[in-house]
Amino acid sequence: MHVDINLLGGFAVVVDGRAVGAHAWTRRSAATLVKLLALRPGRQLAREQVVDLLWPDLLLEQAAPRLHKAAHYARTAVGVPSAVVLAGDVVSLLPDADVVVDVERFDRVSGDPASVEEAIGLYRGDLLPEDLYEPWADAERERLRVSYLDLLRAAGRWADLVAAEPLDEEAHLRLVQQHVESGERGQALRRLEAMARLWREELGVEPGPAARALHARAHAMPPVEPAGPAPGGGASRVPRPATRTVGRDRDVAAVLSLLEDHRLVTLLGIGGVGKTRLAAEVAHEYAETTGQRTCYVDLTKVTDPGLVAELTVSELGVRSGDNANVVQMLEEALQRQRLLLVLDNFEHVVEAADLVARMLQWSADIRILVTSRARLRVAGERVHEVQPLALDRDEGTGGLADAVALFDQVATAVDPHFRLAQHADDVAAICRAVDGLPLAIEIAGGHLRTLSPSLLRERLTSRLGSAAGAGRHLPDRQQTIPATIDWSLQLLGPAEQRLFGLFAAFHGAVPLEAVEAVWDDGDVVDPLSVLVDHSLVRRTTGYRGEPRFGMLALVREHAARLADGEREAARAAHAAYFSSWLDDLYERRWTDATDRWLDDIGEMIQEVRAAHAWAAHAGDVPLTARITAALGAYWFLEGHHAEGLRWIDEMLGVEDRLEPVVAARIHLAAGFMAFPSDRAGARGHWERATALFRELGETRLVAYGLAVTSATYIGDVGNVELSLRMNDEALALGRGTGSPALVAQVLNVRGELTRVAGLDEMAREAYEEGLQISGDLGDEMYVAVFLSNLSYVAEHRGDHEEARRLTHRALRICWSQGRRLMAAWTVSQLAGPERALGRAELGAVLVGAGDEALRVLGARRHPGDVPEHARVVVLLRASLGDERFEELREEGARLTLDEVLARILDGDPERDGERDGEVRVPVQRRVHEGVEKS
């Protein structure tokens, strides 16, 4: 009997390939007893020590019944009568089994200097994170964590070390040093700024002399650096395989050679042949040999070719905003870049091939590496066909055949006692039966927990050696993958097979709760664990570290064919779950930082779109409306106006069929879509929504409706008193509901109303209170909004240095967080203080750059900014003359938003004579298009 016990990153037990489900641990004491014993040498401990650790307040005699119960429930959970043995004064765990504990394996591997990377890969997380407050685990957790950090340090993985230990000074400084040595002045300064902010917030001190010396060195560098995404930020990381890549050295060399002479290379091959892994290896080697950056775009995240540009822009670190402008945004993002762009899984969106050709025209210094099952068939494309792994050994080296070597790697990971020499014939036959396809080898090898190699060969040959189940139109080498999945499913029980089919309802990686929503047959954890164990479902991590579950596209296609009978029910459950999930997020808007709920929706937007599409197709108007009603603020803040307008218009057409509260929220969303261009139209929607909310007793939504309605009167001198009365009521209601985020938004509208009306002291009070609330919430989006608005107030009272300082602070947040619309507004806003401080020419350049950035974004200047902007333009024309003003404004319009941000934040503010192309800045890592300013 073979048992795997995992303690790093979470507790899990697998017995002969069967995962013990979380529901099996009906008593916490049973799981705790197994964990405690698994951590001890020899997996045994004196009875008295067990009692002292688990029940320190009880005498041995008093604790004895508890120990016996815990042992009984542990045996029941594991399903082995001898799982926990109490013999004399000793308690033992699985004394008769072949047991592998991941902590022991990590300790063994981490002691070998040649296995540092392997050891790092074994550390899936801190020891037993679910037991953070158990004293018996503290010392061991700290020991393992220190060992892991030492491994990261030894491997020079400084970015990973910063992520694991944010206050590690050496890691921060090493990253800065790398930026300095690469000539990346802006990156170095931003890393130092982030470090200083962290030191102040967490330690209450400034960084030490080493950081100051590096800052001086970086600041002295020329303010010119290659345009490109920031490592690990603007450029998404290329996946790094967790295991050694087998049999691809020649392919890597061949593809690198092609990239030297050709700007577009396509890796062509069937699903499961290893195109993504090969692309990752090529990208890492390319970055190391050329020093250029890479950006990875996983196109399985979209199914519509029209969304390829949006996804690529996002992975470059730029939020696209309105879909109508996304291609132009992509063009701007790629201009003058030196970059390898990896477009993975292109076969899903092959109709977007012409976009790839256009990318190559926009920048002469980018290379594009595509993986696909079909050619792009565009000019300049060179194809490298990725073949299955070799089935015969290389006579030149005498080594194993590549396919056999991969099987050996997989088998050893599954069973550390596996010895290839004892099973060479069976392994060779298995590899031939699956045509050397890596995915099939990995799936087959994973079953060694259950079957011996000879039994595996016997069953595999009967199922996978035949092409009877595959389509006749497929080439020979594709005949085995569907059969591989079929065969793998036949080794599963009915529950696992059913859940496999239901997974076709999802379009990406989803949380456990979503899986539970489509499952109606008890606890889903056990069958899900089996699917993960058999590599049919992949466990990944969300942006906050939460587990996510999804399928490879190839596997999902197969699942869809098996789920015909339950497909509609699964899709209905999927849509209902994500509708409720959106409702929950809608409630979080009033108490949570804006970034957080926006990021949550962004992570699941493809599931939300799929839910909406199913509801609309099924004619379920109430469900379609609920999904639509939850997204108004998301569309407005993220800039997806075209999608929002389309969905909202459809719902307004059937308003009489909607629940009153949903209809009211639809009008609220409609107002957001109208506000940028039609304030009267927005007012009509918001007044209608507010009236409905009053009738329904929805106090918080009444407050919100009143606040946004009052915003439509910004600059309307005849209705100042009306708008302030409306805002007063909104503020009183908001305070009464305990909704700090709502109160901050109402205060910001109040500031806009009073500032534009000339009531600066009232505006200052509203902005400062809102700033305090947003800071307490950690809502950086609104912190930037309040800072930029306070700069207007400072300018009005003649404190131009303070106005400039506040504007710079707001811009630095915009830049670090990548909020382009807010940055476009604020860049122009900086023109006022710059003019007053004697830099009128720079002010004119900033006006031109801001105007052009807004044009590219398809956005309008915020109503509260319009009179301020007009006033500054008049003053600039008076200072410079119309002709010189227009010359400088045109110069600013030739700068990209990134370049002008570099000029004012990364360079010398006095250097207003720089020209286009002299100042460059990396594309930001995240961009929130459409930041709400009121």
Side-chain angles (χ1 to χ4, degrees), residues 376-412:
L376 272 62
R377 300 191 183 279
V378 299
E381 179 188 27
R382 288 300 301 267
V383 170
H384 177 84
E385 290 200 20
V386 184
Q387 300 292 347
L389 294 176
L391 296 168
D392 299 313
R393 70 173 59 200
D394 187 338
E395 296 300 332
T397 64
L400 296 173
D402 292 335
V404 172
L406 177 60
F407 190 99
D408 185 39
Q409 177 176 285
V410 173
T412 303

Side-chain angles (χ1 to χ4, degrees), residues 427-458:
V427 170
I430 291 168
C431 291
R432 290 188 182 279
V434 299
D435 292 332
L437 290 169
L439 175 62
I441 291 172
E442 291 175 6
I443 293 174
H447 293 295
L448 286 182
R449 293 189 183 97
T450 306
L451 302 176
S452 66
S454 60
L455 189 56
L456 178 63
R457 174 185 180 181
E458 178 185 334

Side-chain angles (χ1 to χ4, degrees), residues 4 67 107 191 256 326 332 377 403 414 419 425 462 553 772:
D4 289 296
L67 176 57
D107 282 335
R191 168 64 64 179
L256 288 171
V326 69
E332 178 184 343
R377 300 191 183 279
V414 170
R419 296 292 179 267
D425 291 341
S462 64
Q772 180 65 49

Side-chain angles (χ1 to χ4, degrees), residues 403-690:
V404 172
L406 177 60
F407 190 99
D408 185 39
Q409 177 176 285
V410 173
T412 303
V414 170
D415 179 6
H417 301 287
F418 176 81
R419 296 292 179 267
L420 178 63
Q422 300 172 12
H423 310 287
D425 291 341
D426 290 326
V427 170
I430 291 168
C431 291
R432 290 188 182 279
V434 299
D435 292 332
L437 290 169
L439 175 62
I441 291 172
E442 291 175 6
I443 293 174
H447 293 295
L448 286 182
R449 293 189 183 97
T450 306
L451 302 176
S452 66
S454 60
L455 189 56
L456 178 63
R457 174 185 180 181
E458 178 185 334
R459 297 196 178 191
L460 190 73
T461 302
S462 64
R463 292 294 299 136
L464 301 184
S466 170
R472 297 182 183 276
H473 65 285
L474 297 174
D476 291 343
R477 63 180 180 273
Q478 283 186 299
Q479 299 289 319
T480 56
I481 280 288
T484 300
I485 301 173
D486 273 338
W487 170 83
S488 186
L489 286 170
Q490 288 190 12
L491 294 181
L492 304 178
E496 289 80 15
Q497 292 186 26
R498 178 169 177 255
L499 181 59
F500 176 82
L502 294 177
F503 249 90
F506 303 114
H507 295 256
V510 298
L512 175 63
E513 293 80 7
V515 182
E516 291 175 326
V518 303
W519 181 254
D520 58 1
D521 192 15
D523 192 342
V524 77
V525 173
D526 202 17
L528 176 60
S529 298
V530 175
L531 292 180
V532 172
D533 194 47
H534 283 253
S535 302
L536 293 168
V537 169
R538 293 194 299 174
R539 183 186 185 278
T540 57
T541 302
Y543 77 97
R544 291 187 189 172
E546 314 94 327
R548 297 284 184 262
F549 300 93
M551 282 180 167
L552 295 169
L554 175 68
V555 180
R556 188 184 302 115
E557 291 171 6
H558 199 73
R561 291 195 291 272
L562 298 180
D564 284 340
E566 294 188 285
R567 182 177 299 177
E568 282 305 298
R571 288 179 175 175
H574 171 279
Y577 168 78
F578 279 102
S579 175
S580 297
W581 178 80
L582 284 172
D583 287 342
D584 291 341
L585 286 186
Y586 198 83
E587 289 301 307
R588 275 176 44 191
R589 290 183 56 197
W590 317 116
T591 56
D592 206 352
T594 309
D595 284 354
R596 294 171 194 157
W597 59 266
L598 284 177
D599 286 343
D600 282 343
I601 295 177
E603 188 183 24
M604 290 292 142
I605 191 62
Q606 60 181 334
E607 304 298 335
V608 170
R609 286 169 174 158
H612 178 272
W614 180 86
H617 179 74
D620 191 334
V621 172
L623 186 60
T624 309
R626 280 180 58 201
I627 295 171
T628 303
L631 293 171
Y634 170 79
W635 287 316
F636 182 67
L637 294 171
E638 294 289 71
H640 301 289
H641 295 170
E643 179 179 70
L645 285 168
R646 186 173 67 254
W647 290 17
I648 289 169
D649 284 347
E650 291 171 356
M651 291 300 96
L652 289 175
V654 292
E655 182 181 353
D656 58 332
R657 298 169 59 185
L658 306 181
E659 295 179 55
V661 69
V662 175
R665 286 169 58 186
I666 291 289
H667 278 286
L668 196 61
F672 280 120
M673 297 300 97
F675 184 67
S677 58
D678 180 9
R679 277 199 276 171
R683 184 182 304 150
H685 283 297
W686 285 338
E687 287 176 342
R688 170 67 173 154
T690 305

Side-chain angles (χ1 to χ4, degrees), residues 296-445:
Y296 172 78
V297 183
D298 179 7
L299 292 170
T300 61
K301 295 180 179 179
V302 297
T303 55
D304 182 355
L307 296 176
V308 171
E310 177 182 339
L311 179 61
T312 305
V313 163
S314 176
E315 296 295 356
L316 282 166
V318 182
R319 290 287 178 89
S320 62
D322 197 315
N323 291 342
N325 300 308
V326 69
V327 175
Q328 191 167 5
M329 289 293 300
L330 179 58
E331 179 177 357
E332 178 184 343
L334 290 177
Q335 285 175 356
R336 293 180 296 281
Q337 296 245 18
R338 294 180 62 81
L339 172 76
L340 175 65
L341 181 62
V342 181
L343 303 176
D344 194 21
N345 294 293
F346 205 89
E347 65 272 4
H348 299 280
V349 288
V350 72
E351 293 83 0
D354 62 327
L355 178 65
V356 177
R358 294 167 68 187
M359 291 184 199
L360 295 172
Q361 297 172 2
W362 293 332
S363 173
D365 293 320
I366 67 168
R367 297 283 191 275
I368 300 179
L369 181 63
V370 176
T371 76
S372 180
R373 299 183 210 172
R375 295 173 185 265
L376 272 62
R377 300 191 183 279
V378 299
E381 179 188 27
R382 288 300 301 267
V383 170
H384 177 84
E385 290 200 20
V386 184
Q387 300 292 347
L389 294 176
L391 296 168
D392 299 313
R393 70 173 59 200
D394 187 338
E395 296 300 332
T397 64
L400 296 173
D402 292 335
V404 172
L406 177 60
F407 190 99
D408 185 39
Q409 177 176 285
V410 173
T412 303
V414 170
D415 179 6
H417 301 287
F418 176 81
R419 296 292 179 267
L420 178 63
Q422 300 172 12
H423 310 287
D425 291 341
D426 290 326
V427 170
I430 291 168
C431 291
R432 290 188 182 279
V434 299
D435 292 332
L437 290 169
L439 175 62
I441 291 172
E442 291 175 6
I443 293 174

